Amino acid sequence: MVQEFDKVGVVGLGTMGAGIAEVFARAGFNVIGVEIDQAAVDRGRAHMDRSLSRAVGKGKLTEDERAGIESRMTFTTSREELADADFVVEAVPEHMDIKKDVFGDLDRICPPGTILATNTSSLSVTEIAALTSRPDKVVGLHFFNPAPVMKLVEVITTVSTSAQTVDLVSEVAKRVGKTPVAVGDRAGFVANALLVPYINDAIRLYERRIATREEIDSAVQKAAGLPMGPLTLADMVGLDVCLAVMDVLWEEYRDQRYSASPLLRRMVAAGRLGRKSGQGFYAGTDEAPEPIPTGRYAQMIREEETLDLGEILLAPQIDDAMRMIGDGYATAEDVDTAMRFGCGYPKGPTELLAERGAESVVTTLVAMGEYDLTSIAVPAPLLMDQLPDAEEPHGGCACQS
């Protein structure tokens, strides 16, 4: 059935949308990119031109291959030109009112058999699907930035999505060179639900002057072999994006684990969004190393043999992953695949757990609770089950709620 697909529409040609359009055109699909006006179309075309130029410059594409990709691309300001599209991906800004407008039009314009996908990273796919007359043919198709490079695609299903649609979209994802992970419609899905709270934890440590930004980043890089630390990553992702995901998680779960750091909220309010605004944890600073914090908690943690700064950002994320797996939302393989292919982790959370052992992770969580460094009251049941003889260390978890 995948081979019958020919014309793919992409609505929204920002950095992500242009990347998605490029991904489909590279795979041999005829792609029509739609934007709100000609200026936005021109920006989208420029995004793609820069991406293709980089690929040619690095020897990843030949000039002939680039010409072929460009010949399969059409740009327009009219959604009506999607009337014969087989598959449409929406990649407009993360505002439900904008997405409602797009899906209302798509449902009216596209044939009944056309599959409609949203690239939302945090909004409810179920709510979006309910706006259409074809909820069985609506899915989330969450690409990761930069779309031509990152291998993960989260395929998000709702209670109404048909099994045939899920299978077909997963096969399409494979055809465009991606690794699909199919999960249900839940706030943050897999990758963002694990990544953004981890970033938020790092911001809390920095806000409380537990360690400098350099110490936090380097400790995590050393502990997990990550290409960059959480505060550098926050600047790259965008602090506004991090805050939006945290707020979506909070709205769904109402758990202190998903309460955004006050510092994160204030930096966004001040327009310090990271690289995109030129100001963030590093961006817009003089890059000079910060003085070592001398507060009581900072000194105690430096002297505590059972606490390692790198493990303090990692242990809660491992716990989150074990809860996700224990809930039956995703398999261990899906969790590791999402973090490796979507977030650039050399090893996924369950692989990090296997390296450390459950007792070490639980001990870190217990100690964090004693210092009021986590809102996790009790480690995940699946994590506790992996302790030797399933016994709780130190007579039980002392984590604070």
Side-chain angles (χ1 to χ4, degrees), residues 202-214:
I203 295 173
R204 284 189 181 279
L205 288 176
Y206 182 68
E207 179 178 30
R208 294 182 60 185
R209 301 298 296 151
I210 300 299
T212 67
R213 64 190 179 205
E214 292 87 1

Side-chain angles (χ1 to χ4, degrees), residues 15-59:
T15 302
M16 180 60 78
I20 293 171
E22 179 184 334
V23 165
F24 279 96
R26 281 190 183 217
F29 291 99
N30 291 309
V31 182
I32 182 163
V34 185
E35 257 297 358
I36 192 69
D37 55 34
Q38 190 57 48
V41 167
D42 293 342
R43 287 193 296 271
R45 192 191 297 267
H47 285 313
M48 181 173 288
D49 285 344
R50 285 192 295 271
S51 177
L52 293 175
S53 294
R54 284 194 299 269
V56 171
K58 293 179 179 179

Side-chain angles (χ1 to χ4, degrees), residues 276-311:
K276 69 174 72 176
S277 70
Q279 292 181 309
F281 290 105
Y282 291 93
T285 70
D286 58 11
E287 300 293 339
E290 296 179 312
I292 302 298
T294 57
R296 178 172 176 269
Y297 271 148
Q299 290 180 332
M300 290 174 67
I301 289 172
R302 290 170 196 281
E303 297 168 0
E304 175 58 66
E305 293 182 359
T306 61
L307 279 176
D308 175 270
L309 186 58
E311 300 304 317

Side-chain angles (χ1 to χ4, degrees), residues 166-377:
V166 177
D167 291 343
L168 190 54
V169 172
S170 295
E171 285 303 314
V172 169
K174 292 176 183 176
R175 178 168 168 179
V176 300
K178 304 302 180 183
T179 299
V181 169
V183 291
D185 187 17
R186 195 164 97 168
F189 314 136
V190 176
N192 278 344
L194 294 178
L195 183 70
V196 179
Y198 146 84
I199 291 174
N200 190 62
D201 285 341
I203 295 173
R204 284 189 181 279
L205 288 176
Y206 182 68
E207 179 178 30
R208 294 182 60 185
R209 301 298 296 151
I210 300 299
T212 67
R213 64 190 179 205
E214 292 87 1
E215 286 179 320
I216 292 169
D217 278 356
S218 63
V220 178
Q221 287 179 275
K222 180 180 178 181
L226 296 176
M228 66 180 71
L231 298 180
T232 300
L233 181 60
D235 275 354
M236 186 182 79
V237 170
L239 304 191
D240 54 334
V241 174
C242 294
L243 178 59
V245 173
M246 288 302 298
D247 283 346
V248 167
L249 290 167
W250 168 257
E251 284 298 320
E252 180 140 327
Y253 298 111
R254 297 289 174 166
D255 187 314
Q256 279 301 116
R257 177 83 185 104
Y258 303 115
S259 175
S261 158
L263 177 60
L264 172 61
R265 196 171 295 283
R266 287 173 184 141
M267 289 183 73
V268 172
R272 299 177 66 92
L273 309 181
R275 293 184 186 179
K276 69 174 72 176
S277 70
Q279 292 181 309
F281 290 105
Y282 291 93
T285 70
D286 58 11
E287 300 293 339
E290 296 179 312
I292 302 298
T294 57
R296 178 172 176 269
Y297 271 148
Q299 290 180 332
M300 290 174 67
I301 289 172
R302 290 170 196 281
E303 297 168 0
E304 175 58 66
E305 293 182 359
T306 61
L307 279 176
D308 175 270
L309 186 58
E311 300 304 317
I312 291 175
L313 303 175
L314 291 175
Q317 186 183 61
I318 292 172
D319 186 84
D320 287 343
M322 298 307 287
R323 290 180 194 277
M324 187 178 285
I325 296 165
D327 288 347
Y329 179 66
T331 66
E333 181 181 3
D334 285 342
V335 165
D336 285 346
T337 296
M339 299 309 287
R340 284 192 284 109
F341 292 159
C343 303
Y345 275 49
K347 298 176 182 177
T350 70
E351 295 168 314
L352 293 173
L353 172 61
E355 280 186 349
R356 286 153 176 76
E359 188 168 10
S360 173
V361 174
V362 170
T363 297
T364 297
L365 289 170
V366 169
M368 289 176 67
E370 293 170 349
Y371 287 114
D372 194 27
L373 294 176
T374 181
S375 62
I376 296 173

